[in-house]
Amino acid sequence: MMIKKVPVLRDPGVPRRNNTQQILNAAEKTFSAYGLAGARVDDIAKACDLPKANILYYFGSKEDLYRATLQRLLSGWLEDADEWISTKYPPFVGLEGYIRAKMKFSRQRADASRLFMHELLAGGECIKDFLKTTLKNHVAEKKEVFEHWHKEGLFAEVDAAHFLFLLWSMTQAYADMQVQFSSVLGHRLQSADYENGVTMIMRMVGSFCQPSPESDAR
């Protein structure tokens, strides 16, 4: 099953007040908890306090709603990188902006991050086309940014794909492994914990910046 763009509204004339975002928010939480197979449209309808018929009218089927939920997640995921990993910023500023955006996503939309992880662990059939085309092309575009920074003497030479793998792993872990992190810290993750995470990640990322912010300060 390949992911495809599913129209959020079956009738383009239906105004936004018909709560499609509310449906997608409820679907995100439900699919994250139960997966595609275990989730029921009835549960999603109950979660967003709308009739089941409304959901099926807007999205057609549970499968189409699942794809639409993933599509929204993936679109937002790439937008953060396009905004921050850009030649309009120096490396340290751009990467800090990106890491903060990713950490904010992990904090505010942990369900979405876990939904993505569940889909990957299940084999990624619904996002296979996205992974092989859109995401692959996206990484190639970011590689050009890293190469530009390197040529300008602003950033160390890196393997762009593996560098991004590390950034994804470090930031998404604060959503996907939230229970483990909370157990180690002895409390539910709080604002200070996410900020500490950003600080530690930037210490590592900053070592690739030439000159480093520490060198500038001296």
Side-chain angles (χ1 to χ4, degrees), residues 164-177:
L164 287 171
F165 295 164
L166 291 174
L167 296 186
W168 297 344
S169 299
M170 288 187 290
T171 53
Q172 288 168 223
Y174 280 80
D176 303 337
M177 305 180 73

Side-chain angles (χ1 to χ4, degrees), residues 69-141:
T69 304
L70 284 170
Q71 185 71 47
R72 186 181 69 157
L73 160 63
L74 297 173
S75 296
W77 194 43
L78 297 187
E79 286 172 2
D80 287 335
D82 288 336
E83 167 60 28
W84 290 106
I85 303 179
S86 166
T87 57
K88 67 183 179 182
Y89 296 113
F92 193 88
V93 173
L95 290 171
E96 182 177 11
Y98 178 59
I99 288 166
R100 286 190 176 280
K102 288 282 291 171
M103 291 290 272
K104 181 179 179 181
F105 188 95
S106 289
R107 182 183 181 186
Q108 297 184 350
R109 295 184 62 191
D111 290 320
S113 183
R114 288 192 287 268
L115 170 61
F116 179 66
M117 180 56 62
H118 287 329
E119 174 61 24
L120 290 178
L121 291 174
E125 286 299 318
C126 288
I127 57 173
K128 189 169 291 185
D129 185 57
F130 167 85
L131 297 175
K132 291 183 176 180
T133 57
T134 305
L135 184 59
K136 186 176 181 179
N137 293 337
H138 172 81
V139 170
E141 291 172 1

